[in-house]
């Protein structure tokens, strides 16, 4: 199934504006499919798979002259899973500097590794893009809004990875999400991330999964996992860089009234989160459905902001008396503020302390009844 990816046109329109376009994203989110759809628009493309030793050796350690001979005549070059190619940053720099009107797309699942290899050599020569699991907006464009609304429970249970969304049966979805969370997602982290104790790392990931939507203490996590606080912070950073989790920081403009140090952690995909804690039960039966729903909506807003390119900040808000809001998006120096509270069924209203502090803010209660409408319309 080829899904309509929101980012397609943006990448296609940027080809040639910089010699190198770098497409980041977790494994299995659809980078290869997207790259091949773009490649199909060209008459004489060259596709190289970094996971294939033969393809990798074709460009590893080559001189500028050799690379010119390899690339010449091709109107676009795709290097998929480019982090697997030794010294890929130097290779891409040589192509960018020596091939006239070079058009290269490099994809990478382990952004921390690929970024380390390309950031310095490619300064000024590349433009970055990020691909996430499917979004509600993309599903509505591929299917229709009624189909998406009818399948909302499945998305909340199994997430939005393309292969899993396309699976026909519940059993197949369960098998695929378990395989993805077990065999694929952490593969590059263990290869490149300097994780010395996989057992403690996996314990941390599960603890984070159980605490989705809650404020976390790195010191408490360190005690529970049995490793140092600095190692916890390092592992959390690696998980962020591999597009598995993201941190949400508090909105903080009033020192005396608002908290400013806590973080909340969410997963880019709730299906991965559910698989990590070993629970793929029907969402209606679950005591953690509120946390799953909150995670799902916030991760969708992350995708929406990234694809639209709008300049804004997203945070959670809580004052010292415990009044809170799940998500606040602000822009233009807080002149534009949109607040969201995620509720499974019942509605909600803007807390009075927040309204008093930010009278310019708009507020929306997100429920299962309006979430698809809000996410399919988008803002950008």
């Amino acid at each position: 199934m080829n899904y309509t990816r929101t980012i397609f046109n943006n990448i296609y329109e940027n080809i040639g504006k910089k010699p190198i376009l770098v497409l980041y994203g977790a494994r299995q989110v659809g980078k290869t499919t997207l790259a091949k759809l773009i490649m199909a628009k060209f008459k004489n493309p060259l596709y190289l798979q970094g996971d294939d030793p033969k393809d990798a050796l074709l460009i590893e350690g080559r001189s500028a002259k050799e690379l010119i001979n390899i690339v010449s005549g091709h109107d676009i070059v795709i290097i998929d899973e480019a982090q697997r190619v030794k010294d890929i940053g130097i290779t891409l720099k040589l192509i960018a500097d020596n091939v006239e009107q070079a058009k290269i797309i490099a994809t990478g699942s382990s952004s921390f590794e690929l970024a380390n290899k390309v950031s310095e050599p490619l300064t000024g020569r590349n433009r970055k893009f990020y691909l996430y699991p499917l979004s509600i907006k993309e599903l509505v464009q591929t299917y229709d809004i009624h189909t998406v609304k009818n399948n909302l429970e499945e998305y909340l249970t199994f997430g939005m990875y393309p292969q899993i969304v396309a699976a026909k049966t519940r059993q197949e979805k369960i098998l695929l999400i378990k395989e993805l969370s077990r065999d694929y997602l952490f593969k590059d982290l263990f290869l490149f991330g300097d994780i010395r104790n996989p057992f403690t790392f996996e314990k941390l990931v599960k603890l984070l999964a159980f605490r989705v939507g809650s404020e976390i203490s790195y010191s408490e996590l360190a005690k529970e996992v049995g490793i140092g606080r600095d190692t916890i912070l390092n592992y959390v950073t690696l998980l962020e860089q591999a597009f598995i989790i993201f941190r949400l920081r508090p909105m903080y403009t009033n020192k005396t009234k608002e908290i400013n140090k806590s973080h909340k952690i969410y997963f880019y995909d709730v299906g991965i989160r559910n698989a990590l804690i070993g629970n793929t039960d029907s969402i209606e039966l679950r005591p953690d459905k509120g946390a799953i729903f909150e995670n799902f909506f916030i991760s969708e807003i992350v995708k929406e902001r990234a694809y639209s390119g709008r300049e804004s900040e997203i945070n959670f808000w809580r004052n010292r008396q415990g009044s809170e809001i799940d998500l606040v998006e602000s822009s233009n120096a807080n002149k534009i503020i949109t607040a969201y509270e995620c509720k499974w069924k019942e509605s909600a209203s803007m807390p009075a302390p927040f309204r008093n502090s930010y009278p310019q803010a708009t507020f929306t209660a997100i429920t299962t009844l309006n979430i698809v409408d809000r996410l399919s319309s988008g803002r950008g």
Side-chain angles (χ1 to χ4, degrees):
M1 180 75 188
N2 285 336
Y3 295 96
T4 303
R5 304 308 299 256
T6 302
I7 201 173
F8 178 94
N9 288 336
N10 194 13
I11 296 176
Y12 185 72
E13 290 164 5
N14 272 279
I15 293 171
K17 292 182 179 179
K18 294 278 186 178
I20 315 290
L21 304 184
V22 183
L23 177 62
Y24 292 123
R27 284 184 173 272
Q28 308 286 316
V29 293
K31 299 186 303 299
T32 299
T33 301
L34 180 59
K36 287 183 175 179
L37 287 172
I38 292 170
M39 190 173 72
K41 296 279 188 180
F42 292 82
K43 292 182 178 178
N44 190 23
L46 174 63
Y47 177 82
L48 299 172
Q49 172 57 263
D51 277 337
D52 185 329
K54 186 177 179 181
D55 281 1
L57 286 171
L58 182 66
I59 57 175
E60 278 180 6
R62 299 292 182 178
S63 66
K65 187 175 181 180
E66 288 173 320
L67 289 169
I68 290 170
N69 289 334
I70 292 166
V71 171
S72 287
H74 296 287
D75 46 6
I76 193 166
V77 177
I78 307 287
I79 306 174
D80 206 5
E81 299 297 348
Q83 77 276 1
R84 298 299 189 129
V85 180
K86 186 179 178 182
D87 296 325
I88 184 62
I90 300 300
T91 296
L92 291 172
K93 179 182 183 296
L94 287 171
I95 294 173
D97 291 348
N98 293 282
V99 176
E100 191 175 345
Q101 296 182 326
K103 296 181 177 70
I104 313 290
I105 297 177
T107 81
S109 56
S110 46
S111 70
F112 53 91
E113 175 67 10
L114 188 54
N116 288 341
K117 288 182 174 181
V118 305
S119 56
E120 189 174 335
L122 293 187
T123 301
R125 300 172 177 87
N126 75 107
R127 189 161 289 169
K128 300 179 183 68
F129 298 88
Y130 300 88
L131 187 66
Y132 302 97
L134 290 165
S135 69
I136 286 289
K137 192 169 186 177
E138 289 170 334
L139 290 179
V140 168
Q141 290 171 342
T142 302
Y143 301 109
D144 60 76
I145 195 165
H146 300 295
T147 299
V148 174
K149 285 181 177 180
N150 289 337
N151 290 328
L152 181 61
E153 180 194 322
E154 286 194 358
Y155 308 143
L156 289 165
T157 304
F158 300 110
M160 306 282 272
Y161 274 78
Q163 186 183 14
I164 292 161
V165 171
K168 300 299 184 185
T169 67
R170 187 177 184 87
Q171 282 306 114
E172 189 180 355
K173 290 176 188 291
I174 290 171
L175 179 64
L176 288 171
I177 196 68
K178 285 181 178 178
E179 287 176 348
L180 179 57
S181 62
R182 185 184 66 236
D183 299 336
Y184 293 105
L185 209 60
F186 302 107
K187 187 175 181 180
D188 289 333
L189 278 170
F190 287 126
L191 280 172
F192 302 124
D194 192 26
I195 295 169
R196 296 171 188 176
N197 190 329
F199 176 77
T200 56
F201 177 77
E202 289 173 15
K203 186 176 180 181
L204 170 65
V205 174
K206 286 186 178 181
L207 282 175
L208 294 176
F210 276 114
R211 295 180 185 181
V212 154
S214 299
E215 292 171 42
I216 63 163
S217 162
Y218 297 114
S219 297
E220 287 179 12
L221 286 171
K223 287 179 184 177
E224 288 192 57
V225 177
I227 54 178
R229 185 176 183 274
D230 288 346
T231 303
I232 292 287
L233 286 166
N234 181 49
Y235 285 174
V236 168
T237 299
L238 288 174
L239 288 163
E240 280 188 302
Q241 291 171 328
F243 304 102
I244 295 167
I245 64 168
F246 60 93
R247 279 181 265 197
L248 203 63
R249 292 166 174 80
M251 185 177 185
Y252 177 57
T253 59
N254 188 320
K255 291 182 181 180
T256 61
K257 294 182 180 180
E258 297 166 347
I259 60 144
N260 68 327
K261 291 182 178 178
S262 297
H263 289 159
K264 291 185 178 184
I265 286 181
Y266 296 94
F267 283 71
Y268 279 108
D269 188 77
V270 294
I272 294 298
R273 181 264 177 188
N274 291 336
L276 288 169
I277 67 170
N279 190 341
T280 52
D281 291 346
S282 172
I283 197 78
E284 287 280 2
L285 304 174
R286 297 180 58 157
D288 58 349
K289 57 180 176 283
I292 295 170
F293 187 66
E294 178 184 323
N295 190 145
F296 183 85
F297 177 74
I298 293 173
S299 67
E300 286 293 301
I301 294 297
V302 169
K303 299 171 195 175
E304 182 181 290
R305 285 174 63 250
Y307 292 154
S308 68
R310 67 177 182 255
E311 297 290 332
S312 66
E313 295 286 333
I314 58 170
N315 308 93
F316 71 93
W317 177 87
R318 181 168 69 81
N319 68 6
R320 295 185 185 277
Q321 288 69 48
S323 182
E324 60 183 315
I325 293 178
D326 292 331
L327 185 69
V328 179
E329 183 173 2
S330 55
S331 58
N332 197 15
N334 284 343
K335 291 178 182 176
I336 301 172
I337 296 177
T338 307
Y340 300 98
E341 185 69 15
C342 300
K343 297 291 185 183
W344 180 248
K345 292 293 184 185
E346 72 276 14
S347 191
S349 57
M350 186 188 300
F354 185 82
R355 184 175 62 247
N356 294 336
S357 297
Y358 304 100
Q360 74 275 36
T362 61
F363 178 87
T364 304
I366 299 296
T367 71
T368 53
L369 299 177
N370 68 1
I371 185 171
V372 174
D373 290 319
R374 163 59 186 85
L375 294 172
S376 60
S377 61
R379 285 180 51 203

